[in-house]
Amino acid sequence: MENSQRQILRSLPPMDELLENEWLFPYYQELGRVTVKEILSELMSVIRKNVIEGKVKTVTMSYIRTGAETILESRRKTSLQKVVNATGVVVHTNLGRSCLASAAVEAVKEVASGYSTLEYNLEKGKRGQRNEHVEWLLCQVTGAEAALVVNNNAGAVMLCLAALARNREVIVSRGELVEIGGSFRVPEIMAFSGSQLVEVGATNRTHLRDYEGALTDNTVMFLKVHPSNFRIQGFFSDVPREDLALSAHDKGLIFMEDLGSGILVDVGNLGLSGEPTVRDCVRSGVDLVTFSGDKMLGGPQIGGIVGRKTIIDKLRNYPLLRALRVDKMTLAAFEATLRIYLKGQWREIPTLNMLSLTMVQMKNKASSLARRLKQIIPGAEIRVLEVEDAVGGGAFPATTLRGYGIGIKKHPWGSSGRLQSSLRSGDIPVIAGAGDDSVVIHVRTLVKGDDKLLLEAFSSLPVRGDE
Ligand SMILES: *Cc1c(COP(=O)(O)O)cnc(C)c1O
């Protein structure tokens, strides 16, 4: 080490002295003194290392302060925070999928801030079952005999396979061995559950004779999986549910379907057709249907399992259920969401509401926002334009929804990418789309109050030129 380096190290302020700096005081309030001290001591060891390696030639207090404030600021901000979804993707998996209806939000507040009947039967004055709060409602809106809920749909599939098909063979079409975003892969979930996957048919075509030809004494189930985020076009066929159900029942097997983004109402009149509802599956003879609560259904994250009572009863006492059980806030939100369906008022559910917006409604919204944006960003090129939105969440992947948006060009914040990134770093981050050379605000996915937040986000952007 050179003399100059030794000198810099010696001149670094000792921790006690550092902690007396007034600019740290607000952080003591928010993070606690112990945490602030830990962060500083980590920072100082990095600085020391950089000095020794010759990467840093002078260390001033303002250098230390800048480094410390960057880390402290990032720790001070709430991590899971609200954002404005201006992407036009309705069930946006990275942005929390579905927004809850206001009745569901109220139900969560009530149950979260006090005690509740989560596992208490008021009539008997004794222990009750948490599943009972939603079971009859789920049966009511799907036509099933029995229902059970778990943490999410991946958990639902896992529970069914583990409880019913452990060490037994489950027959699945090769066209349905899908991976659904992140980490849900049908073959892997099956392996984890201890069931044995028997693949039949070809990627694009599977026939009933393929399923029946694979039967052995150890077969317990036919499993149908919704292909979710992909579609095969052209020379394609699969086996109708009714035929699989008849064949399964004839041979004493269970017919299960992982429906993915379960829908409870026919959305054909929203321009979204070709997908069965959970009720359709039950009616076609599927014994067990599993689906997500927070995709097209528009509720909280939950996994629904509906179907035949004798089979669901076997799941109720399976130990894995305890590890997948649903929290009270989720149950409250789910019950309230199902009650909206019961009343037939599903347009109150934000996910379905966003999907049922008309072109006129969206154009009006875009025009009014564009007018106000022009006042905030004088000189920029701001246009109302037709955009392509998406359902998201693996539902209706081949359907593009026509929507409206606002394209912003020639603004004072440099490139589109730079503007998108600045919008993400505001107090309430705005996640915007991009089109040729412009940043695009899709209006379909804006929720109540987002207009105002958007305008505030633009007003508070630091103005700078192209760098
Ligand atoms: C989304 C999806 C899942 C996973 O559901 P989660 O609720 O996210 O656990 C499983 N299967 C299919 C077919 C899906 O589309």
Side-chain angles (χ1 to χ4, degrees):
M1 205 178 350
E2 287 173 23
N3 249 339
S4 60
Q5 284 168 305
R6 271 197 205 96
Q7 205 157 9
I8 298 173
L9 289 180
R10 263 198 305 276
S11 73
L12 291 178
M15 188 50 77
D16 290 351
E17 203 174 290
L18 208 51
L19 289 170
E20 292 309 313
N21 277 296
E22 264 180 40
W23 50 267
L24 283 172
F25 293 179
Y27 297 109
Y28 290 158
Q29 295 268 324
E30 295 201 49
L31 298 168
R33 210 178 149 97
V34 176
T35 307
V36 174
K37 188 174 168 184
E38 254 170 45
I39 289 172
L40 284 178
S41 85
E42 232 169 83
L43 174 70
M44 293 312 286
S45 44
V46 172
I47 292 178
R48 251 178 247 120
K49 187 163 161 274
N50 286 341
V51 170
I52 291 166
E53 289 172 3
K55 290 183 194 152
V56 172
K57 304 285 183 206
T58 49
V59 179
T60 59
M61 182 51 87
S62 96
Y63 178 81
I64 296 173
R65 178 172 176 172
T66 309
E69 281 179 340
T70 309
I71 306 169
L72 290 165
E73 267 308 300
S74 76
R75 289 287 180 250
R76 187 187 63 83
K77 267 199 189 167
T78 302
S79 175
L80 177 57
Q81 55 176 333
K82 179 187 166 61
V83 301
V84 172
N85 175 7
T87 65
V89 180
V90 178
V91 182
H92 198 306
T93 299
N94 304 137
L95 304 183
R97 289 193 178 164
S98 283
C99 309
L100 294 180
S102 55
V105 173
E106 286 311 310
V108 172
K109 265 196 210 161
E110 180 132 328
V111 155
S113 52
Y115 294 103
S116 64
T117 56
L118 180 62
E119 287 188 355
Y120 191 77
N121 183 316
L122 286 173
E123 249 172 72
K124 297 182 186 148
K126 302 198 290 207
R127 190 188 169 152
Q129 293 284 327
R130 65 178 68 205
N131 190 61
E132 269 171 22
H133 300 295
V134 293
E135 180 165 13
W136 82 269
L137 273 165
L138 264 175
C139 292
Q140 210 59 35
V141 298
T142 62
E145 289 174 7
L148 193 62
V149 285
V150 294
N151 186 46
N152 58 16
N153 187 30
V157 175
M158 171 75 90
L159 174 70
C160 293
L161 291 173
L164 304 167
R166 199 169 179 73
N167 299 322
R168 305 287 302 273
E169 289 170 9
V170 175
I171 303 180
V172 191
S173 159
R174 285 204 168 84
E176 298 174 358
L177 292 174
V178 296
E179 170 179 317
I180 297 125
S183 46
F184 184 96
R185 270 187 172 172
V186 174
E188 285 169 15
I189 290 270
M190 293 190 66
F192 204 73
S193 73
S195 60
Q196 291 160 18
L197 165 64
V198 178
E199 304 174 26
V200 295
T203 305
N204 59 329
R205 279 168 84 85
T206 303
H207 309 281
L208 186 59
R209 60 172 187 274
D210 297 322
Y211 285 87
E212 293 185 337
L215 287 170
T216 71
D217 289 345
N218 203 26
T219 308
V220 70
M221 182 187 282
F222 287 163
L223 172 64
K224 189 171 174 60
V225 182
H226 193 282
S228 286
N229 43 14
F230 88 108
R231 286 289 173 278
I232 298 175
Q233 276 170 356
F235 192 56
F236 169 81
S237 74
D238 61 358
V239 186
R241 274 181 196 84
E242 289 79 1
D243 297 359
L244 275 174
L246 275 179
S247 172
H249 298 155
D250 184 49
K251 292 166 181 73
L253 306 176
I254 297 169
F255 177 27
M256 167 169 158
E257 178 162 5
D258 171 14
L259 196 53
S261 179
I263 46 178
L264 297 183
V265 290
D266 183 5
V267 288
N269 58 347
L270 305 181
L272 300 168
S273 51
E275 291 292 337
T277 62
V278 177
R279 183 184 287 277
D280 291 335
C281 295
V282 170
R283 202 185 280 143
S284 309
V286 184
D287 299 310
L288 272 184
V289 188
T290 70
F291 51 92
S292 298
D294 53 351
K295 292 185 180 170
M296 284 282 283
L297 198 152
Q301 178 192 304
I302 210 167
I305 307 170
V306 304
R308 223 175 273 288
K309 184 167 183 311
T310 50
I311 300 174
I312 295 214
D313 282 344
K314 287 188 193 154
L315 305 177
R316 290 185 214 273
N317 298 315
Y318 194 74
L320 182 60
L321 179 62
R322 177 62 182 79
L324 301 173
R325 81 176 185 191
V326 174
D327 170 64
K328 61 178 180 281
M329 292 186 276
T330 307
L331 269 175
F334 196 50
E335 179 179 358
T337 306
L338 292 177
R339 284 186 185 281
I340 297 175
Y341 280 102
L342 196 66
K343 290 184 220 162
Q345 295 172 342
W346 53 267
R347 274 171 208 270
E348 281 175 20
I349 292 170
T351 298
L352 293 171
N353 184 273
M354 288 173 191
L355 293 172
S356 45
L357 292 174
T358 64
M359 286 302 267
V360 174
Q361 284 172 313
M362 287 183 282
K363 189 172 187 182
N364 287 342
K365 189 161 187 174
S367 307
S368 117
L369 250 178
R371 237 185 343 267
R372 287 180 287 165
L373 277 172
K374 279 179 191 160
Q375 291 163 359
I376 296 176
I377 331 172
E381 191 183 304
I382 296 177
R383 284 193 311 130
V384 170
L385 38 93
E386 271 198 37
V387 293
E388 282 185 1
D389 295 335
V391 178
F396 299 95
T399 311
T400 40
L401 300 169
R402 283 169 67 226
Y404 269 100
I406 302 142
I408 305 166
K409 268 188 199 176
K410 305 210 174 94
H411 49 75
W413 297 288
S415 66
S416 297
R418 191 175 278 277
L419 174 53
Q420 277 182 307
S421 134
S422 303
L423 285 169
R424 285 199 304 271
S425 58
D427 273 348
I428 305 260
V430 174
I431 316 299
D436 25 68
D437 264 4
S438 50
V439 166
V440 181
I441 305 292
H442 297 242
V443 297
R444 184 192 293 276
T445 44
L446 300 180
V447 302
K448 205 167 158 225
D450 278 357
D451 293 32
K452 193 164 157 271
L453 295 174
L454 247 168
L455 296 170
E456 280 168 13
F458 275 96
S459 326
S460 53
L461 286 178
V463 177
R464 55 180 163 182
D466 251 327
E467 281 166 35

